[in-house]
Amino acid sequence: MTATVGAAVGVTVGAVIDMPRVDALADFRPARITQLYDRGGRSFSSYARQRRIPLAPHEIPEQVKQAVIAVEDRNFYRHGGLDLWGILRAAVTNFRSGRTVEGASTLTMQLTRQLFLTPEKTFRRKVEEALLAVEIEKNYTKDQILALYLNHGFLGHNQYGIEAASRFFFGKPSASLSVAEAATLVGIFQRPGRLSPYNAPDAVKARRNHVLGRMLDEGFLDREQHRAAVAQPLVVVEHGPREESGAYFAEDIRRHLESRQGSAALLEGGLQVQTTLDLDIQRSVDKGLRAGLAALDRRRGFRGPHLRLPLRIDDAELPSWSSGRAVADGWFEGVVLESGPSTARIKHQDEVYTLTPEGMAWTGKKSPSQILTRGDVAWFRIGAPDERSSPILLLEQEPLLQAAAIVLESSSGAIRAMAGGWDFGRSQYNRATQARRQTGSAFKLFVYGAALDAGFTPADTILDAPVAFRGQDNQLSYSPRNYYNQYYGIVTLTRALEQSFNVTAVKLMDVVGIDKVIHFARQAGVESDLPPYPSLALGAADLIPIELAAAYASIANQGVWIQPYLIEKVETPEGAVLEKRVPRTRKVTSPATATVLRRMLEGVVDRGTARSLSDLDLDIAGKTGTTNDYSNAWFAGFTPRYTICVWVGYDQPRSMGRGMAGDKVAVPIWRRIAEDGLATGWLTAGERFPPPSGVVPVWIDRGSGHRASAETAGAIEMLFLPGTEPEATASGRWATILSLPWYQQKAFYRPKPRERMPATVTELDAGVVEDSGEGGEAPGEEEAPPP
């Protein structure tokens, strides 16, 4: 007996000696969630090891306090850390049942176990638990202890604390919880690994009702309130298989924060990050990019199911089903249970949907049994084939192509939206900020910008005719070609840019000087390597989409480049500023020259390769781009407020197929984004570019560049720097000259200084090395060769 008492005393003394200092709780800062907010203050992403949103004691909802006290520690406000009556009651109850059915730990003792001790069930640990609980009660108020308990506890699914769990399970702050919802969360504290509303709803509901019963017993509820709460169904937020809006945007910020602030601050520090993202714009980008890629992929037909299951199809479950139920317009994997001539039965979780020929019309097949058999796994979506249709089950397939899209606010450099690919879950590689791809004719912005800086005007002409470039050994090395292998003779710079003539662009860069073109590109923010070869004019250099977007934005912004940025400000939870955006700007060209170039780019939309956008009710300027063998397709365009850049291609560059040029591939996606922007209001219908200043508007003949009246057929209004307006007047003689073949026009053309004149047929037949940057854009219908 003496030995037993001595051992107990020894354990107690040892526990006291090793006991942690509870005053450290005054400085206790649980790991907090780093939150990313869009420009309107809406949270769109977060990072944390433990997803926790701490509440101050006065912020704990009353119904949550009552629930936890009723079920965990009825005498919480009456004991000093140890509940002696509770210990006695538990001992009697457990003795009568022959097993442990009731615990004697107070909330304070449970808190000490969570914060300081291990879960091992030893006498020493129980002593330490009791002693620490008493010390905590001496140093902190009851409400402080309760707040620590409710902020610290784990509730499953990486959610810590009552507030984070409330938002995760019920989609609202804990202050808005009903009594039944509060009881649900408090009930989960007991066994968070087993009590998940998603995986064990019946067990969660039973535990919730037990908590409600204890609240009734303790007088926190009357019988009517108890009856209503028990009758309330368990309804939690579905976390379905949907694309997280702004996922690529958030990942770029995560990498930045980790490198600048460190992993600990990112995952535990609760950083508050004000970003440039606009969720409304981002949703338009996500929607437009995904719909556009899916439409492009459908042109190639249905490739078949991506998986086929073996036996026991009726009991099959797919890993993706754990993400939640199918939601409207969301993609989900379905298993084919049965496929017949007129319908197919598709299983997803415990639901069975019907696929009709209307839902698979894009495949070109009229019967589901032609393409699907029992056990096939394919992608489906609940949606409408068009705006006039009612929602039905639609067959889908993941596209092989990838894309990137960026929306910049031209005047500030703020990135308002960014998508780096089809699906962040499938690939986290951000093609908008990491991929280097040839830009094709979209690079011509820099060629024509440098030409205007060098004194050229939109009415100046170049002879679009065969030209040869020789290498160091004086051998023929490169000869640019136009689409259709046709040459157009005397062309104005305006017409050449609108119709994306390749030969004109290469000759113009040669005349202006390749060093000046590279300088213009550098001023516009291009940091990628720019090889000093003739094919650079056609986009042979590899650029990052964000570089090209910022360059076009500089023209929209009156010739001033502003470095694109994602973050406005980074703060600690206490409001201390860790980072704040410092603008970085650079002059690219004069405001007047930028205005002239903008008007030329408007012509690309009004009459040129992007004319399919001309019916949209707002001003647009931009340039398409296509690389050799149709391996990359671009459209970089801007409205009075935003610059939108779209790229499409394969991750491993290869041909997308004959005719898959910028106007057929990238422009439709750009259009989808803009149409949704007009529908949702972030683009304003009828918005126009500001009236030009510092320039002179003159009507010219588009073919010759000579002055014309507004009523003259083929006349367009162009802008000129003062003193550079054309003097000659358009005449029927020039119309006749321009109708001749290029080699007959040559006699009427006055070459520009340093302009290379046409090579002989013999030279061209000697051999040409085609460069991979050669553009492949079809010019306007009026430029097509005769049939």
Side-chain angles (χ1 to χ4, degrees), residues 317-336:
E317 289 191 8
L318 300 176
S320 64
W321 291 357
S322 63
S323 299
R325 295 185 178 278
V327 295
D329 235 21
W331 287 41
F332 63 89
E333 281 186 303
V335 178
V336 179

Side-chain angles (χ1 to χ4, degrees), residues 448 451-452 456-464 488-505 508 600 607 699-707 714-716 718 720 726 730 734 738 745 749 752 755 783:
Y448 285 85
L452 292 177
F456 280 81
T457 77
D460 282 333
T461 57
I462 289 287
L463 185 67
D464 190 89
Y488 298 95
I490 302 172
V491 297
T492 61
L493 300 194
T494 292
R495 179 186 168 203
L497 180 61
E498 292 175 359
Q499 304 303 326
S500 203
F501 294 158
N502 289 336
V503 175
T504 305
L508 180 62
M600 294 176 70
R607 297 170 293 275
W699 284 87
I700 65 169
D701 175 66
R702 180 169 173 264
S704 66
H706 297 161
R707 282 180 177 266
I716 57 175
M718 295 305 297
F720 297 84
W734 268 102
L738 295 177
Q745 293 183 39
Y749 177 71
K752 301 297 182 291
E755 180 177 357
E783 314 294 350

Side-chain angles (χ1 to χ4, degrees), residues 320-380:
S320 64
W321 291 357
S322 63
S323 299
R325 295 185 178 278
V327 295
D329 235 21
W331 287 41
F332 63 89
E333 281 186 303
V335 178
V336 179
L337 298 179
E338 180 183 342
S339 184
S342 58
T343 62
R345 295 174 61 243
I346 311 299
K347 177 185 176 183
H348 177 258
Q349 294 187 345
D350 55 356
E351 299 284 343
V352 176
Y353 301 92
T354 300
L355 177 69
T356 64
E358 183 183 7
M360 46 169 277
W362 64 269
T363 67
K365 306 297 183 181
K366 297 183 178 180
S367 170
S369 60
Q370 291 179 277
I371 56 175
L372 296 173
T373 60
R374 178 175 167 81
D376 286 347
V377 178
W379 288 100
F380 299 90

Side-chain angles (χ1 to χ4, degrees), residues 382-653:
I382 300 173
D386 56 63
E387 295 179 356
R388 300 178 300 278
S389 306
S390 300
I392 61 173
L393 186 67
L394 302 173
L395 176 66
E396 298 285 3
Q397 71 179 2
E398 285 191 285
L400 300 177
L401 284 170
Q402 280 291 357
I406 303 163
V407 179
L408 282 177
E409 190 171 67
S410 304
S411 62
S412 68
I415 301 175
R416 297 303 183 196
M418 177 169 62
W422 159 259
D423 179 12
F424 184 78
R426 190 175 78 176
S427 169
Q428 288 77 54
Y429 181 58
N430 190 343
R431 295 152 190 87
T433 59
Q434 294 176 291
R436 295 184 182 275
R437 304 304 294 259
Q438 292 183 336
T439 57
S441 293
F443 190 88
K444 291 173 183 174
L445 170 83
F446 308 115
V447 176
Y448 285 85
L452 292 177
D453 270 352
F456 280 81
T457 77
D460 282 333
T461 57
I462 289 287
L463 185 67
D464 190 89
V467 62
F469 292 84
R470 297 180 178 277
Q472 294 180 348
D473 55 1
N474 204 35
Q475 296 296 309
L476 186 64
S477 63
Y478 177 66
S479 179
R481 303 293 178 90
N482 290 322
Y483 202 86
Y484 302 126
N485 264 343
Q486 182 173 344
Y487 301 95
Y488 298 95
I490 302 172
V491 297
T492 61
L493 300 194
T494 292
R495 179 186 168 203
L497 180 61
E498 292 175 359
Q499 304 303 326
S500 203
F501 294 158
N502 289 336
V503 175
T504 305
V506 174
K507 290 187 64 179
L508 180 62
M509 184 175 73
D510 189 48
V511 170
V512 171
I514 195 169
D515 55 332
K516 292 183 179 179
V517 172
I518 291 176
H519 175 74
F520 192 95
R522 295 290 184 223
Q523 291 300 106
V526 176
E527 297 180 354
S528 298
D529 291 339
L530 298 176
Y533 306 132
S535 58
L536 178 65
L538 307 182
D542 294 331
L543 269 60
I544 303 172
I546 189 66
E547 287 182 298
L548 193 69
Y552 275 79
S554 72
I555 304 305
N557 191 38
Q558 302 269 302
V560 176
W561 172 82
I562 302 181
Q563 184 179 37
Y565 70 105
L566 299 165
I567 297 174
E568 296 283 2
K569 186 168 56 175
V570 179
E571 297 178 313
T572 67
E574 294 73 32
V577 177
L578 301 177
E579 294 183 36
K580 193 171 183 179
R581 183 240 176 176
V582 177
R584 180 184 167 204
T585 65
R586 182 167 56 241
K587 180 181 177 181
V588 179
T589 188
S590 69
T593 300
T595 302
V596 173
L597 183 54
R598 185 201 75 200
R599 177 60 63 86
M600 294 176 70
L601 293 169
E602 286 183 77
V604 175
V605 176
D606 293 338
R607 297 170 293 275
T609 55
R611 60 192 175 278
S612 61
L613 299 174
S614 60
D615 63 321
L616 292 178
D617 187 19
L618 78 166
D619 281 352
I620 303 170
K623 184 71 186 75
T624 52
T626 311
T627 57
N628 190 50
D629 198 28
Y630 305 98
S631 57
N632 297 280
W634 298 79
F635 183 66
F638 53 86
T639 71
R641 184 173 181 182
Y642 296 108
T643 296
I644 308 172
C645 181
V646 173
W647 164 84
V648 182
Y650 290 107
D651 280 339
Q652 298 299 320

